Amino acid sequence: MLKLMKIWRPEIYQGKKQMNKYFEGWYFKIVSKDENTLFAVIPGVSYGINGSGCHSFVQVIDGKSCKSHYLTYDIKDFRYSKKDFRLWIGPNYFSSDEVRLDLSSKSVLLKGELSFENAAPWPSSLLSPYIMGWYSFVPFMECYHSVISMNNDIRGSLTVNDKDVDFSGGRGYMEKDWGRSFPSSWIWLQSNHFDEPGVFLTASIARIPWFGRFFTGLIAGISVNGKLYRFATYTGARIELISCLPDGIRIFIRDRQMYLDISARRSNSGKLYSPRNGSMEGIIEESMTAEISLTLGTISTNTRSVLFEGKGRNAGLEIVGDMKDLH
């Protein structure tokens, strides 16, 4: 029963007895109020084939310098709550309300405490526990994905190498992934820094294994004026265009009544480790300061009407694999 109930609590640790070809990782994006300092901090666990190379880790990417760091810990240094989202990796603590960091190595020093307020979680329902909709119930998915908070306010400060940085008044974003491996090809983008307050975007398109074949899975959501507009494979939305640009990508998504037109421009990127059969041996590139232009609108018989048009900055962007696999 407890295992079943965890489906409606995707933020808590899902892998209690998973010790073979399994990973689980949480993604915390933190941006200072002046937007001059931004990091992604990624705690997680990794179990390779038959548990080989098992360890816990905290991965960090500096969005400005694009330097990345991978700090490993013994798997015994990973502890978690069975009832709510609280976890510890060595001296580091993570929850939906707070992080306490004590990361120290030859390449990075990141120490301090941050608290998170006014979270904007992805809505949950009986038949759609989290962002994956009814796919949340499928037991053999290669990778599961959840958005914990599309936006939250930050209070607190961190010592970044030899400098104290105040993050109070900044913005954060939280998500997580778990399973065996990341997809072979995907697009991921996110921004909660639009000129208009209260606008948040997250979108993922991926090649999904399915009974010996593959399909292109879509999940996208944009919150405008307190309303979340959702586009997903399970809602009947479809991708009409994926176009690779010299410096980024354009995506056009629609359902029967709405459309979402996104253009994302790359920025400098840093390298992150990604899971393959549970082992963190893949390498991908992520931009944290990409730029997004988007239009959200309605579709009638022969006309389109614009509901929102704007640009997002400090955007996360990953374009991985062969984009032909997503058509």
Side-chain angles (χ1 to χ4, degrees):
M1 180 61 70
L2 181 61
K3 182 178 180 180
L4 180 63
M5 293 305 296
K6 286 167 65 175
I7 293 177
W8 283 271
R9 297 293 307 278
E11 69 277 8
I12 69 176
Y13 184 57
Q14 302 290 311
K16 180 180 178 181
K17 296 183 179 180
Q18 300 288 343
M19 298 181 182
N20 177 40
K21 295 189 288 187
Y22 184 77
F23 81 94
E24 189 158 348
W26 296 257
Y27 181 98
F28 293 79
K29 181 180 180 181
I30 54 173
V31 184
S32 62
K33 183 178 181 180
D34 61 12
E35 302 179 26
N36 289 326
T37 308
L38 61 160
F39 285 94
V41 181
I42 309 167
V45 295
S46 168
Y47 292 89
I49 298 174
N50 296 321
S52 62
C54 64
H55 66 281
S56 56
F57 62 86
V58 180
Q59 191 165 195
V60 177
I61 182 170
D62 184 327
K64 290 293 186 179
S65 70
C66 298
K67 293 181 179 179
S68 56
H69 315 275
Y70 191 90
L71 286 74
T72 60
Y73 298 83
D74 193 284
I75 197 66
K76 295 179 181 178
D77 291 326
F78 173 70
R79 296 174 292 125
Y80 64 93
S81 169
K82 297 179 181 179
K83 297 181 179 180
D84 52 19
F85 175 31
R86 289 182 295 139
L87 59 96
W88 297 259
I89 297 181
N92 306 285
Y93 170 76
F94 303 89
S95 74
S96 56
D97 302 316
E98 180 185 13
V99 298
R100 298 195 295 267
L101 299 177
D102 188 0
L103 299 169
S104 181
S105 71
K106 293 181 180 180
S107 59
V108 65
L109 175 67
L110 207 59
K111 292 188 177 184
E113 299 181 10
L114 302 176
S115 60
F116 306 129
E117 302 170 347
N118 302 318
W122 190 274
S124 175
S125 67
L126 180 63
L127 299 180
S128 184
Y130 50 94
I131 196 171
M132 287 182 61
W134 64 263
Y135 288 98
S136 309
F137 299 102
V138 178
F140 53 80
M141 301 297 287
E142 177 183 47
C143 182
Y144 298 86
H145 177 68
S146 173
V147 172
I148 302 170
S149 176
M150 293 182 70
N151 181 74
N152 49 264
D153 299 329
I154 303 175
R155 294 174 62 88
S157 62
L158 295 177
T159 298
V160 181
N161 297 326
D162 59 350
K163 182 180 179 182
D164 293 332
V165 179
D166 186 5
F167 279 85
S168 296
R171 299 181 194 173
Y173 169 84
M174 289 177 269
E175 66 172 37
K176 71 171 292 191
D177 296 279
W178 68 102
R180 296 189 309 276
S181 305
F182 275 1
S184 58
S185 302
W186 79 85
I187 301 166
W188 171 82
L189 48 88
Q190 173 276 331
S191 178
N192 51 350
H193 280 83
F194 289 81
D195 290 337
E196 298 79 357
V199 178
F200 325 126
L201 169 74
T202 183
S204 300
I205 299 172
R207 188 174 191 244
I208 309 297
W210 191 258
F211 291 102
R213 297 186 178 185
F214 294 87
F215 72 91
T216 298
L218 162 68
I219 306 171
I222 176 171
S223 181
V224 179
N225 295 325
K227 181 175 181 179
L228 179 63
Y229 298 89
R230 288 180 269 190
F231 299 83
T233 303
Y234 58 83
T235 68
R238 65 179 187 271
I239 304 163
E240 290 203 338
L241 173 71
I242 297 177
S243 178
C244 293
L245 307 176
D247 59 351
I249 202 156
R250 183 184 171 207
I251 307 164
F252 189 91
I253 303 164
R254 64 163 294 175
D255 58 21
R256 292 182 179 180
Q257 298 178 324
M258 307 284 296
Y259 72 91
L260 184 60
D261 191 351
I262 304 172
S263 293
R265 188 172 67 181
R266 297 177 189 265
S267 63
N268 294 332
S269 59
K271 296 185 183 299
L272 292 175
Y273 287 99
S274 64
R276 293 177 181 170
N277 287 321
S279 296
M280 300 296 289
E281 59 184 30
I283 296 179
I284 63 173
E285 293 194 356
E286 177 179 316
S287 300
M288 289 188 66
T289 55
E291 295 181 358
I292 294 172
S293 299
L294 66 83
T295 303
L296 172 72
T298 59
I299 300 176
S300 59
T301 305
N302 293 310
T303 61
R304 296 177 184 174
S305 299
V306 175
L307 292 179
F308 173 80
E309 193 169 32
K311 294 185 178 181
R313 59 194 184 278
N314 301 319
L317 177 63
E318 297 171 359
I319 304 172
V320 179
D322 191 342
M323 294 299 99
K324 294 179 181 179
D325 291 339
L326 301 180
H327 288 279

